Amino acid sequence: MTLKTKAFRFFYKAHIYLGLFVAVHFIFLSISGSILLFKEEVEGSVHETVAVPAEQTSMSYSTLLSDVLKKFPGERPLAVFKDDEHENIVNVRLGMNDSKMFRGARKLMFDSRTGAELNAEAGKSSFMDWMLKLHREFFLGSYGKMYVGFIGLLYFFVMLSGFFIYGNFAKKVAFGEVRIKSPRHWFSDMHRYIGIGVFAWGLIIGATGFFLGISSTLIKVYQYQELKEINQQYKDIHGDNDHAHNASVLDQVIKTSGQALPNAKVDYIAMPDTQFSPPNHFLVVMVGNTPQTERMTQLVVVDAATGTQGEVRELPWYMKITLASEPLHFGNYGGLFLKIVWLGFSIFSLLLPIFGLVIWYKRKKATQVKGVSMETRKLSDSLLFKNRFAIPLVLFVVTAVMIIGAFILGGTFAMASGYILLIPLILTGAVVLRGKRGKS
C-alpha cells in the first residue's frame, strides 16, 4: 500500500467520523449564525439621539468622564471607547466597588456631542440574545465557548479532508456530472460539489470560529505574558500614586497617542491600573484611519500623571488574529451586501452536514446489497447540471459580484476576503479543464 493510498484512507475515514460528530453541531451553528448575521437590522438603531446642530462638535472626553465619576462616586473607570457602528456614541465601563475587573462592570453609553446618557439596553432583542448564547456557547458558559471553538477546529479539518478526498473523485468525473441512478450517488455528488463551492468560506468560518471560541483563553495568555511584562516595566514609576481616577488628562492622552501614531486613531482607552492596563499608565488601542489599515492594531502606553511619554507596542500575533476573527466570522464589516453574501454561503454550507448524514445512512443500507449492476454505477448527466460549466459559471458570477462589492465598500480587509473566496473558482476551473468522464 502506497503512502498516497494510506493518506487517502486516513482522510476518508477521518472525514466520515469527524464529519458525523460535527454535522449536528454545525446544523445548529449554521442556522443560529444565519439569524445573527442580521442582529443589527432586527434590533434596529437602538442608539438614536436627539437632533443636534451640524456644527456641534464632540464634547471633551475629560469633561465627559469627570461628569460620569461625579454621578458614580466610588467606582473605578475601566475603559472609554467609541461604538463600532455609531461614530457619535461613547461607551464607558466602570468597575463597581472600585473593582479592577471588567467582568460585572457597569456599562454606560453617551452621546459624545451632548453628553446625554443613552439606554444601552433599548431595542435589544431577547430572542437575539438567546440565539447568540446558543451560537457562541451552547448555553454552557465559558466552557461551552471553548467547546464551540473546538467544533470550529474540527470543521476546519473536515473541510480540508473533504478537499483531499474530492481530488481523487475529480480524476474520474467531469465537473458538474451527477449520478442520478441512485439517490445515494446523487447525494454524494451534490455533497462534493457544494463542498468544493464553499470550501474557502468554510475554512474561514472554521478558523475564525476556533479563535473566537478560545478568545478568553488567549486574553488570559496575553495578560500573563505580554501585559505582565508591561506591568513590570511601569510598576515603579510615580510610586504608589493612584492615577486610576485621573480623568482630567484623558484629552491629553488622546493627543499624545495621535502624536505617537500620526496615521492611526484611538479605538479603545484602558484606564490606569485595571485588568488590562499597567499601574499609573493608560493603555490605548490604536487602529489605522484608512480603509486599508483599519484592522491594523497597535498599543500606546501613556503616562497617567502627565498624559505624555507615549510608547508604541505591538499586539502579539494571536491577539491580532482574534480581533480580526469576529468581523470575518460574521461578515459584519461590509454592510448589508456582505451579510447577504455570507447568508448565501451559510445556506449552501448547511446542506453539507444534511447530505452527509443522508449519505452515511444510505451507505449503511447499500453495504447490505450485493452484485450492484454496471448499469447502476453508470454515470449520467444531471437533470440540474446538463452543462458541466454551470457551477463554475455561478461561482464566477458570485465571486465577481463579491469583488466588485468589495471595491465599492473599500478597504483591504474587504477585498482580501473577496480574493480568498476566489479560490474555489480557480480550483473548479482547474477541475473542468482536467475532468474526464467516468468509465461506464
Side-chain angles (χ1 to χ4, degrees), residues 11 17 48 55 73 79 114 127 165 218 243 245 255 260 267 288 299 304 308 318 323 335 344 350 373 390 403 405 419:
F11 280 112
Y17 296 118
E48 294 296 333
E55 64 274 9
T114 64
F127 172 74
I165 295 169
L218 294 179
H243 298 283
H245 297 75
K255 182 178 180 181
D267 183 60
L299 301 177
T308 58
Y318 55 86
L323 290 174
L350 179 59
S373 66
I403 294 176
Y419 285 120

Side-chain angles (χ1 to χ4, degrees), residues 74-79 81 92-107 216 219-220 223-224 227 231 244-245 268 270-277:
E75 298 193 6
R76 176 183 292 265
L78 300 177
F81 56 98
V92 177
R93 297 290 181 266
L94 299 177
M96 292 185 282
N97 299 318
D98 205 36
S99 172
K100 299 180 181 182
M101 308 303 291
F102 279 69
R103 182 181 292 274
R106 186 188 300 276
K107 300 178 181 179
S216 298
I219 290 174
K220 290 179 181 178
Q223 285 180 274
Y224 289 117
L227 196 55
N231 289 345
H245 297 75
Y268 190 98
M271 300 295 290
D273 197 21
T274 70
Q275 182 182 3
F276 296 114
S277 61

Side-chain angles (χ1 to χ4, degrees), residues 217-234 275-279 283 299 301 311-320:
T217 302
L218 294 179
I219 290 174
K220 290 179 181 178
V221 172
Y222 170 73
Q223 285 180 274
Y224 289 117
Q225 291 184 355
E226 307 291 333
L227 196 55
K228 184 178 180 179
E229 178 185 334
I230 297 176
N231 289 345
Q232 288 294 325
Q233 179 179 343
Y234 291 101
Q275 182 182 3
F276 296 114
S277 61
L283 194 63
L299 301 177
V301 183
E311 177 201 359
V312 177
R313 300 181 69 99
E314 291 285 338
L315 272 176
W317 64 269
Y318 55 86
M319 287 301 299
K320 289 183 178 180

Side-chain angles (χ1 to χ4, degrees), residues 332-439:
N332 58 4
Y333 60 90
L336 184 60
F337 168 80
L338 192 61
K339 290 183 180 182
I340 294 174
V341 173
W342 244 236
L343 177 64
F345 277 106
S346 183
I347 292 173
F348 277 109
S349 67
L350 179 59
L351 297 176
L352 289 177
I354 295 175
F355 283 5
L357 291 172
V358 173
I359 294 166
W360 175 76
Y361 174 73
K362 290 185 175 295
R363 184 172 180 270
K364 288 184 64 178
K365 295 181 66 176
T367 54
Q368 301 173 4
V369 180
K370 298 181 180 179
V372 180
S373 66
M374 294 299 291
E375 182 180 1
T376 304
R377 295 188 298 177
K378 184 178 180 179
L379 298 174
S380 302
D381 288 336
S382 168
L383 298 176
L384 296 177
F385 305 117
K386 291 182 179 180
N387 187 334
R388 72 183 208 167
F389 292 97
I391 294 180
L393 180 61
V394 171
L395 288 174
F396 175 80
V397 172
V398 171
T399 307
V401 171
M402 276 202 64
I403 294 176
I404 293 172
F407 275 104
I408 294 174
L409 294 170
T412 303
F413 199 70
M415 287 187 283
S417 64
Y419 285 120
I420 289 173
L421 291 169
L422 184 63
I423 293 174
L425 176 62
I426 297 173
L427 295 174
T428 50
V431 171
V432 168
L433 294 176
R434 295 181 55 193
K436 299 178 180 180
R437 293 196 172 274
K439 296 180 180 180

Side-chain angles (χ1 to χ4, degrees), residues 155-156 159-160 163 194-208 328 342 345 399 416-425 427:
Y155 180 67
F156 182 90
M159 293 299 293
L160 277 181
F163 177 74
I194 293 174
I196 200 65
V198 301
F199 171 67
W201 181 87
L203 293 184
I204 292 173
I205 295 302
T208 55
L328 265 178
W342 244 236
F345 277 106
T399 307
S417 64
Y419 285 120
I420 289 173
L421 291 169
L422 184 63
I423 293 174
L425 176 62
L427 295 174

